[in-house]
Structures are given as C-alpha cells and as structure tokens.
Amino acid sequence: MFTPPTGLPSVASDLEMHTESITAALDKKLSENNNYISFAEYMQFCLYQPQLGYYSGGLHKFGQDGDFTTAPEVSVLFGECIAQAIAPLLSKNTDWDICELGPGRGALAEAIINHLNKLDALPQSYQLLEVSASLSDLQKSRLKPLHKHLEIKHLQEPPNKFKGIIIGNEVIDALVVERFYVNEQDEIFQIGVSIQDARLVEVAQAAPDYLVQAIKNLDVDIPKNFSSDICCQLKPWLKHITENCEEAILLFSDYGFSQSEYYSPERNDGTIRCHYRQHAHNNALILPALQDITAWVDFTALGNAALSLGMEIPAYSTQAHVLLGSGHLQTLDFEAMTEVQRFQTSKEIQTLTLPANMGERFRFMQLNKNCDEVIPAMQLRDLRHQL
Ligand SMILES: C[S@@+](CC[C@H](N)C(=O)[O-])C[C@H]1O[C@@H](n2cnc3c(N)ncnc32)[C@H](O)[C@@H]1O
C-alpha cells in the first residue's frame, strides 16, 4: 500500500513504524465499515486522523525541501503585496485585527507583519487559526520574536467578536471533498475507497441524499459519464469561521476557477491533486497520510456559500492582478540590488505572476460580512462575471 509507483521517491526507512500504524488504522476503519468509506472520509483520514494524518501527524513538509511550495514560500513579495493592499484599510480602521487561517509554516504571517510594520499599519493583533499542533508550534517560534508591540494569538477556534481581516492562502484546497460519478442515465454515484487484494481501490455506490442534493444544487449541468469532486463542507466551514465576526473582510487565495470551468467536459475525473516531495500527481490512493491531498477551489460555490450566509462578494480576481494591483512590485528598487538579487527577485515575480505559473490559475476572492470596504488592489481586474 505504501510503495510509491515508479517515478516517485521512496518512503524514508525511519517512517516504517508510522506507515504500519497508518495501515493498521485504515484497515480497521475499512473493516468497521464493510470495506467501504467515502472519498471524503478517506481524505479526512489521510489529512486529519489524530496523530497519523498528513496535517495532524506532524509529517507535512512545505517549501523547497518538502512536498510542495506555496506562494508565501516562493517569495516574501507575496505577503508584502498583501500587506500593501490591506494597509490603507488597517490605517483607517485602527480597531481591526488580522486572523490568518491555516498559516502553515508562518511565512505569510511573517511577511505581512514585517511589511505592515514598515508601513506603520500594524493591526491590534495578528491571530493564527491552525488545526495542526506541530505547525502551530512552528508558527509560535517563528513569530514570537517579531514585534513586541504586536499581540500574536494562536487560536484553536475561530475568533470571537472579531473585527478585521481574515486571510486564508491555500486553506480551502485542504478541505475534504466528495468524489462522484454521473452515468449515461444521469444517475449519481458516490465514489469511495475499498481494499481489494491488499490494494486501495476506488469503488462507486448509489450516492446518499445529501450528495445528490449538493450536485443538483450546482449552478451548472453535470456532463454524462463524468466524474468529479465537490466540497460539501464549504458552507458549514465558512459559517463556522464567520459566525462570531462582527465586521470582517475575508480574503481567500487558492488555485481554482468558476463552476462552469470546474465541471467542464474536458475536466473529466475532477481536480484532486496530490503532492509528495515536489512531485504532483492525481492518485490519492497511494501513500495514504504520507502525501498531501488537495482539490481545486470552486469559487462559484465559495461565493454562493457566502451569499447564502448574508455576506457579499465585492471582488474576485487573479493572483497576478492582485499582486500588481497592490502597487508594491512597481516600487522595488532593482537598481539597488546586486545581480544575484535582481535575478532571484525577477524569478520570484515570474513564478507569482506569469499566467503559466501561479498568476492566472491562482485566484483571490474577497468576501465581506457587515462591511463596505473594498481592497483597491482587488479591483484592477474584476472577474465576478465568470462566477
Ligand atoms: C496547504 S497548507 C497552506 C499553508 C499556508 N497558508 C501557506 O500558504 O503556506 C494548508 C494549511 O491549512 C491548515 N488547515 C487545514 N484545514 C484547516 C482548517 N479547517 N482550519 C484551519 N487550518 C486548516 C493546515 O494545517 C495547513 O497549515
């Protein structure tokens, strides 16, 4: 079950005991459920099973030496641009806080705090909501020495009576998704996971009512003979995050697109993407709990969830336009840099903004609860008509 297919690096020998514990726990879970769990239950196990999951077991590695590299890990410029974009709102609303969801290794928090400090626009506090205890420890040691005048809070539950800005980069892609299949007769099946001949395999069974309803509620018709994924947790999660917010701007960045693109016929088989030591592939059934499993974000569904919770969608744009719209990249002093720095900075800007890299497929969505403010950088290119 744990042998990576040809082309993927082998599992380190010191993980033998850990992989045995994962196998035993997954075997037990499947045998207690007649050898069938939904893909969502499988993904939940792989990422969040206490002590064992990719995020809860402490194995996860981001950055150049790890499994995957996120925008804040690519360059400090990503966080600086976000800081530049929100600074005018923080200067105007001096009682606001920032809360970051899923801060990973704390790279984004560090860049935002340092840059807001330079701009003299620090919030009252910077709060971090993290589900992984080991990542939370890392965030604590990285951010503690930063600024003695800024209160840094590590949360286990969403903030209470919150006023301010909630930021989440590559967090929604870590929410678990269901996988489904629609046949020639438009019947809907849930795709789940079983063990056959000591291997994990995908199997389909009649979809439960909640899944049928969620698929019927989509804004688009699903093609026939088509399999894909859907995040049924999106609305309950957003509700949980925002229910105790008094006044908030939420800024989500992630790879994704609108629903019509998500469920377009050429995207048959869905958007699951797994990351293992800088190799990206779509086989979630290998390396359970040893690799990251993600799904692209359906931004139409995110927007609809927000609207149904009484929030607004003031902006939706591409990463390239938001970073350029912040104005920060245009202020970089290339003349003052060494050749090496100039080369490195140009490379980082290209990775963050070129359409073939992260510029186009990473999207930013702003959602507002009880608030009229719009982040000016989000308005350089308005893509809300695509939703
Ligand atoms: C792909 S990593 C992104 C990390 C970081 N935001 C970055 O851009 O480098 C996903 C992060 O979200 C966290 N996470 C996953 N589910 C979460 C949830 N329901 N609430 C808060 N954090 C969550 C993970 O532990 C991890 O820190």
Side-chain angles (χ1 to χ4, degrees), residues 34-104:
N34 289 328
N35 196 18
Y36 177 90
I37 52 174
S38 68
F39 185 83
E41 290 169 308
Y42 172 73
M43 187 168 167
Q44 177 75 30
F45 174 92
C46 290
L47 299 184
Y48 304 113
Q49 179 72 10
Q51 275 84 55
L52 298 177
Y54 184 76
Y55 284 114
S56 39
L59 267 192
H60 44 71
K61 288 211 198 107
F62 312 177
Q64 315 289 352
D65 307 328
D67 295 318
F68 56 88
T69 311
T70 60
E73 301 279 350
V74 167
S75 173
V76 72
L77 291 171
F78 180 78
E80 289 180 358
C81 286
I82 293 181
Q84 190 85 28
I86 60 176
L89 303 186
L90 291 167
S91 300
K92 191 170 145 198
N93 299 282
T94 51
D95 60 341
W96 277 14
D97 298 299
I98 294 179
C99 175
E100 187 183 339
L101 310 175

Side-chain angles (χ1 to χ4, degrees), residues 48 55 62 68 70 72 102-104 129-132 135 169-170 174 237:
Y48 304 113
Y55 284 114
F62 312 177
F68 56 88
T70 60
L129 177 64
E130 177 57 68
V131 290
S132 155
L135 283 174
N169 182 62
E170 289 205 38
W237 177 79

Side-chain angles (χ1 to χ4, degrees), residues 127-147:
Q127 311 181 4
L128 302 106
L129 177 64
E130 177 57 68
V131 290
S132 155
S134 55
L135 283 174
S136 192
D137 286 345
L138 223 125
Q139 293 154 19
K140 280 177 194 156
S141 55
R142 183 169 188 167
L143 303 176
K144 197 169 173 217
L146 270 195
H147 292 286

Side-chain angles (χ1 to χ4, degrees), residues 94-374:
T94 51
D95 60 341
W96 277 14
D97 298 299
I98 294 179
C99 175
E100 187 183 339
L101 310 175
R105 300 202 309 176
L108 181 59
E110 185 179 65
I112 290 179
I113 293 170
N114 281 337
H115 199 63
L116 285 177
N117 187 46
K118 268 195 203 149
L119 299 173
D120 197 19
L122 281 174
Q124 286 205 132
S125 73
Y126 198 102
Q127 311 181 4
L128 302 106
L129 177 64
E130 177 57 68
V131 290
S132 155
S134 55
L135 283 174
S136 192
D137 286 345
L138 223 125
Q139 293 154 19
K140 280 177 194 156
S141 55
R142 183 169 188 167
L143 303 176
K144 197 169 173 217
L146 270 195
H147 292 286
K148 51 179 186 294
H149 301 304
L150 175 70
E151 187 185 5
I152 296 185
K153 293 186 191 170
H154 298 271
L155 311 179
Q156 280 169 344
E157 286 298 321
N160 200 13
K161 298 190 176 161
F162 183 80
K163 281 189 191 173
I165 304 177
I166 294 181
I167 295 171
N169 182 62
E170 289 205 38
V171 181
I172 298 183
D173 68 43
L175 297 181
V176 306
V177 293
E178 291 273 359
R179 286 200 11 92
F180 65 88
Y181 170 68
V182 177
N183 70 7
E184 185 68 32
Q185 290 74 39
D186 281 329
E187 291 165 318
I188 301 173
F189 296 84
Q190 179 185 57
I191 297 177
V193 175
S194 267
I195 292 188
Q196 283 172 20
D197 301 328
R199 292 179 72 85
L200 292 174
V201 290
E202 278 198 338
V203 286
Q205 66 176 37
D209 288 348
Y210 72 86
L211 182 56
V212 172
Q213 209 46 55
I215 293 165
K216 290 195 167 156
N217 285 345
L218 292 171
D219 287 353
V220 295
D221 292 329
I222 301 295
K224 293 178 194 294
N225 297 319
F226 185 81
S227 61
S228 189
D229 35 79
I230 182 168
C231 183
C232 296
Q233 280 196 353
L234 203 49
K235 184 174 166 186
W237 177 79
L238 192 61
K239 182 169 186 279
H240 181 60
I241 296 296
T242 56
E243 60 195 350
N244 293 318
C245 287
E246 289 179 358
E247 176 186 22
I249 284 182
L250 293 95
L251 189 61
F252 290 115
S253 41
D254 227 309
Y255 42 98
F257 27 51
S258 66
Q259 210 155 82
S260 55
E261 292 166 279
Y262 205 101
Y263 298 112
S264 71
E266 66 269 22
R267 203 155 277 118
N268 200 347
D269 211 27
T271 71
I272 296 293
R273 208 75 185 130
C274 305
H275 300 270
Y276 177 65
R277 296 173 66 184
Q278 300 296 336
H279 290 256
H281 62 92
N282 60 4
N283 189 353
L285 301 194
I286 58 168
L287 301 164
L290 297 179
Q291 63 175 357
D292 189 29
I293 307 177
T294 68
W296 287 48
V297 173
D298 172 353
F299 277 99
T300 306
L302 177 62
N304 284 342
L307 292 175
S308 71
L309 293 169
M311 290 185 250
E312 286 163 37
I313 315 168
Y316 171 58
S317 194
T318 68
Q319 174 164 304
H321 286 86
V322 178
L323 300 191
L324 290 167
S326 75
H328 178 59
L329 300 178
Q330 296 85 329
T331 66
L332 296 177
D333 187 357
F334 280 89
E335 298 290 309
M337 294 180 196
T338 63
E339 279 297 333
V340 173
Q341 287 168 332
R342 243 196 310 272
F343 175 75
Q344 183 60 28
T345 307
S346 308
K347 239 177 77 177
E348 291 171 7
I349 294 175
Q350 286 174 18
T351 306
L352 293 175
T353 61
L354 283 185
N357 291 320
M358 296 176 126
E360 187 75 23
R361 62 197 162 93
F362 276 73
R363 300 287 164 101
F364 273 62
M365 180 173 265
Q366 181 187 339
L367 304 172
N368 280 16
K369 179 172 178 186
N370 303 333
C371 179
D372 295 330
E373 303 278 8
V374 182

